[in-house]
Amino acid sequence: GQSLEQPSEVTAVEGAIVQINCTYQTSGFYGLSWYQQHDGGAPTFLSYNGLDGLEETGRFSSFLSRSDSYGYLLLQELQMKDSASYFCAVRDRLNYGGSQGNLIFGKGTKLSVKP
Amino acid sequence: NAGVTQTPKFQVLKTGQSMTLQCAQDMNHNSMYWYRQDPGMGLRLIYYSASEGTTDKGEVPNGYNVSRLNKREFSLRLESAAPSQTSVYFCASSRQGHYEQYFGPGTRLTVT
């Protein structure tokens, strides 16, 4: 089967750096995505790693190590508006009939940014 | 460009009632998805449609049916609602086989 593990909650202060880790077990790994969801809102796409290494998008970076089945999301210069839940999601080519677009989501990490 | 729209936003049903959740996208995406989100459970895939004319089961399909009406629209039907189907339902779309999915605002469903 498939499983993803990420911390349930993280707290940090404004201006700090926070790292949210994600470890996964899948039968046919095809890539790791990160989504952000504010309370009451819809998930929105943040980043994707298909290959090992770091991807940077502004204040957010995401890292993947396929050999370790591990990735993380790094948020720099934290702002109050970054308070949200963050989900890692795995593309699994063997899941649900092999459709590459399907994602398996972790349970989410609730980030609270304090002043 | 509205993106992904869902109706209704809120719904209360009694056990055994039926209803259809509507979803439409205007991004010309081939693939569409229905998820449910329960507290502490993340998003779980109910059904998906990789392209117009095809639908397939996801992780939690029991108690649901779907229809891909055309390229734009993908509906989710609950034939006989149960309290266990109380959840927030999200529709999403993407380019075929693409990792970036665009989500609608969600439907908050309560079954009493």
Side-chain angles (χ1 to χ4, degrees):
Chain A
Q2 300 84 24
S3 68
L4 292 93
E5 295 290 331
Q6 53 180 128
S8 57
E9 293 183 32
V10 173
T11 301
V13 296
E14 243 182 326
I17 299 173
V18 72
Q19 179 174 312
I20 299 173
N21 298 322
C22 175
T23 58
Y24 60 85
Q25 277 189 311
T26 67
S27 44
F29 179 80
Y30 203 73
L32 184 69
S33 299
W34 289 91
Y35 283 77
Q36 178 192 59
Q37 184 180 31
H38 287 98
D39 283 348
T44 57
F45 173 78
L46 286 178
S47 69
Y48 174 77
N49 296 75
L51 300 173
D52 291 351
L54 193 68
E55 294 285 341
E56 297 179 79
T57 310
R59 295 187 297 113
F60 295 178
S61 304
S62 58
F63 173 82
L64 175 65
S65 169
R66 288 176 294 172
S67 61
D68 295 321
S69 298
Y70 164 75
Y72 66 72
L73 179 70
L74 191 73
L75 297 83
Q76 302 182 74
E77 301 173 17
L78 280 174
Q79 302 175 10
M80 298 296 289
K81 67 179 182 180
D82 297 328
S83 292
S85 291
Y86 294 84
F87 295 87
C88 59
V90 168
R91 292 176 81 194
D92 184 341
R93 76 177 80 201
L94 297 181
N95 198 42
Y96 310 131
S99 175
Q100 295 173 357
N102 291 344
L103 299 174
I104 302 166
F105 284 83
K107 294 183 179 180
T109 298
K110 187 172 178 66
L111 171 64
S112 298
V113 180
K114 307 292 186 189
Chain B
N1 190 340
V4 180
T5 57
Q6 292 182 236
T7 55
K9 286 187 167 50
F10 300 92
Q11 183 71 49
V12 178
L13 291 177
K14 294 189 189 309
T15 299
Q17 288 185 319
S18 62
M19 79 161 295
T20 300
L21 281 64
Q22 306 286 354
C23 173
Q25 52 91 11
D26 61 3
M27 294 174 282
N28 201 35
H29 286 162
N30 283 315
S31 300
M32 297 186 74
Y33 315 83
W34 276 105
Y35 292 92
R36 62 177 288 173
Q37 185 174 34
D38 303 300
M41 292 294 293
L43 290 146
R44 292 184 291 170
L45 184 65
I46 305 171
Y47 270 92
Y48 68 98
S49 172
S51 60
E52 186 179 358
T54 70
T55 61
D56 285 288
K57 295 178 181 179
E59 181 185 359
V60 288
N62 291 346
Y64 306 95
N65 284 300
V66 291
S67 295
R68 184 74 183 265
L69 305 168
N70 47 55
K71 190 171 186 180
R72 291 188 61 249
E73 298 172 286
F74 188 38
S75 63
L76 178 73
R77 182 158 178 85
L78 288 70
E79 290 291 350
S80 179
S84 61
Q85 294 179 304
T86 293
S87 188
V88 181
Y89 291 85
F90 287 101
C91 176
S93 71
S94 72
R95 287 187 279 150
Q96 190 159 1
H98 201 266
Y99 52 81
E100 183 174 358
Q101 296 186 8
Y102 294 80
F103 285 79
T107 295
R108 283 144 185 83
L109 175 67
T110 301
V111 183
T112 62

